[in-house]
Amino acid sequence: MDLLNTLVDKGLRRELPTREEALAVLATSDDDLLDVVAAAGKVRRQWFGRRVKLNYLVNLKSGLCPEDCSYCSQRLGSTAEILKYTWLKPDDASQAAAAGVAGGAKRVCLVASGRGPTDRDVDRVSKTIEAIKEQNEGVEVCACLGLLSEGQAERLREAGADAYNHNLNTSEGTYGDITTTHTYADRVDTVQKAHAAGLSACSGLIAGMGESDEDLVDVVFALRELDPDSVPVNFLIPFEGTPLAKEWNLTPQRALRILAMVRFVCPDVEVRLAGGREVHLRTLQPLALHLVNSIFLGDYLTSEGQAGKTDLEMIADAGFEVEGADTTTLPAHRTEAASGGCGSHGGGGCAPCGDSAEDTGQQAAGTPGARPDLVAVRRRGAGTGLAPNA
């Protein structure tokens, strides 16, 4: 297929596809799906080989969020029966992180619900970062605390944070349909603050909220322009008790096409398969490893993931290997150009209110493909007395 040959050539040169080419990937048929995966897989292997980076989420503060993000089980007005608790103590958070590191995670993502941190919250998280770094040599720490005020990104970096996550989630044109308590511009501003402070910027999207193909391409092109080092791709988890509970329109094939499009647009960036992969990719999860080079291990913020042992077996059975702590994730041209934590990036990546790798597909219950039985509320790990899934 000429389209795929063109996209591979551009991906190997880190050249941005046209919008028409990106839209064409989303419009390919199921008959062409394996060809699309194989083509995007060539680009993935060029920049990341067969390595898979493991990330582990620690939910520092669950629920009780004043924001109204429609996709989120922790939102204002949510009746989802999720765990609710206030800030974990630094030692408790460090213990939770250690379980993920023991399971092979290279990065720990510290997430807290809320609009954004107070200065006192930044102090609290800084102590948590220091505790994790002291007890887990070589681990990366990414903070995801919401909208940042002036100077907060710098303080987090001084405490030892390596990265900051704040997802764009959807296109600028449809953002107001999903959230009204803050703006798309607010999110862009926080990503830029993190980048300017020398933190590795992490910003991604949620697919499956009713958006069009054009909306998906818009947000991925916007991410390419923001130039984060990592781009998490979440698929909506339609939690009962949220406004998007009946949105079940994703199929495994559609999810794979979205991941392929992201890889073609962001060829040399850490593309992370995040929340909703078990719900929407199901038995096709191993195929996604040919498109992404990073996944979350175990559970998410308020939902359960598949067993950590199953994640590791899936990676090995698909012919990939877990990336070691002594390996640099990003290609040399990005790391060498970095001044601080993020790099250039020539040719031209965890979130507030629980939108990081989590409470984030479509097909109303009863429609073919809907799997509400796979939406399991997290009842173990951080904030509970039960062992974590890692």
Side-chain angles (χ1 to χ4, degrees), residues 76-94:
L76 179 69
S78 169
T79 58
E81 296 181 354
I82 61 169
L83 289 169
K84 295 182 177 70
Y85 53 85
T86 191
W87 291 94
L88 294 183
K89 294 179 180 178
D91 285 346
D92 292 335
S94 183

Side-chain angles (χ1 to χ4, degrees), residues 68-72 167-172 174-179 184 187 204-213 215-216 219 234-238 242-250 254 258 280 355 358-363:
D68 69 354
C69 308
S70 300
Y71 50 80
C72 186
N167 294 333
L168 296 187
N169 290 331
T170 192
S171 69
E172 183 174 13
T174 58
Y175 196 83
D177 298 333
I178 298 299
T179 304
Y184 179 91
R187 286 186 172 267
L205 65 144
I206 304 169
M209 298 191 291
E211 71 283 336
S212 66
D213 285 2
D215 291 322
L216 283 171
V219 68
N234 299 278
F235 299 109
L236 176 74
I237 300 176
T242 65
L244 299 185
K246 303 304 180 186
E247 295 290 339
W248 284 91
N249 300 325
L250 290 178
R254 168 77 168 167
I258 291 169
H280 297 291
D355 64 9
E358 222 268 275
D359 313 325
T360 61
Q362 296 182 40
Q363 284 167 2

Side-chain angles (χ1 to χ4, degrees), residues 48 51-54 104 106 293 321-325 327-329:
F48 300 97
R51 294 176 283 113
V52 178
K53 180 176 180 178
L54 297 181
K106 181 175 177 178
N293 62 294
E321 60 184 15
V322 173
E323 182 174 293
T327 303
T328 301
T329 300

Side-chain angles (χ1 to χ4, degrees), residues 158-288:
E158 288 169 7
D162 300 282
Y164 195 84
N165 165 265
H166 200 64
N167 294 333
L168 296 187
N169 290 331
T170 192
S171 69
E172 183 174 13
T174 58
Y175 196 83
D177 298 333
I178 298 299
T179 304
T180 66
T181 47
H182 59 267
T183 67
Y184 179 91
D186 291 333
R187 286 186 172 267
V188 170
D189 177 66
T190 285
V191 177
Q192 291 172 335
K193 279 186 170 74
H195 218 152
L199 291 166
S200 178
C202 172
S203 188
L205 65 144
I206 304 169
M209 298 191 291
E211 71 283 336
S212 66
D213 285 2
E214 289 76 10
D215 291 322
L216 283 171
V217 170
D218 281 349
V219 68
V220 178
F221 271 59
L223 287 165
R224 166 85 181 223
E225 186 174 349
L226 270 180
D227 198 23
D229 287 328
S230 53
V231 174
V233 181
N234 299 278
F235 299 109
L236 176 74
I237 300 176
F239 266 92
E240 288 298 327
T242 65
L244 299 185
K246 303 304 180 186
E247 295 290 339
W248 284 91
N249 300 325
L250 290 178
T251 64
Q253 295 83 2
R254 168 77 168 167
L256 287 170
R257 282 192 284 269
I258 291 169
L259 291 170
M261 186 269 287
V262 174
R263 174 55 73 196
F264 286 129
V265 176
C266 304
D268 60 339
V269 165
E270 177 188 340
V271 177
R272 184 178 308 140
L273 179 56
R277 65 177 164 97
E278 299 90 343
V279 178
H280 297 291
L281 283 164
R282 303 193 282 275
T283 59
L284 295 193
Q285 287 184 71
L287 278 180

Side-chain angles (χ1 to χ4, degrees), residues 60-61 86-91 93 110 112 117-131 145 155-156 159:
L60 297 178
K61 181 166 73 78
T86 191
W87 291 94
L88 294 183
K89 294 179 180 178
D91 285 346
L110 302 176
T118 64
D119 287 340
R120 183 181 177 189
D121 293 336
V122 172
D123 288 339
R124 191 190 327 257
V125 175
S126 294
K127 291 175 183 175
T128 299
I129 293 169
E130 290 163 3
L145 311 174
R155 290 175 59 199
L156 289 167

Side-chain angles (χ1 to χ4, degrees), residues 31-116:
D31 288 343
D32 293 325
L33 181 63
L34 290 180
D35 292 332
V36 172
V37 171
K42 291 179 182 178
V43 178
R44 180 249 199 264
R45 289 192 301 278
Q46 165 72 19
W47 302 114
F48 300 97
R50 303 189 75 83
R51 294 176 283 113
V52 178
K53 180 176 180 178
L54 297 181
N55 309 267
Y56 189 68
L57 280 167
V58 177
N59 194 351
L60 297 178
K61 181 166 73 78
S62 184
L64 313 173
C65 184
E67 302 299 286
D68 69 354
C69 308
S70 300
Y71 50 80
C72 186
S73 63
Q74 304 184 81
R75 73 189 295 273
L76 179 69
S78 169
T79 58
E81 296 181 354
I82 61 169
L83 289 169
K84 295 182 177 70
Y85 53 85
T86 191
W87 291 94
L88 294 183
K89 294 179 180 178
D91 285 346
D92 292 335
S94 183
Q95 278 190 337
V101 175
K106 181 175 177 178
R107 172 174 288 189
V108 172
C109 302
L110 302 176
V111 188
S113 64
R115 179 179 178 84

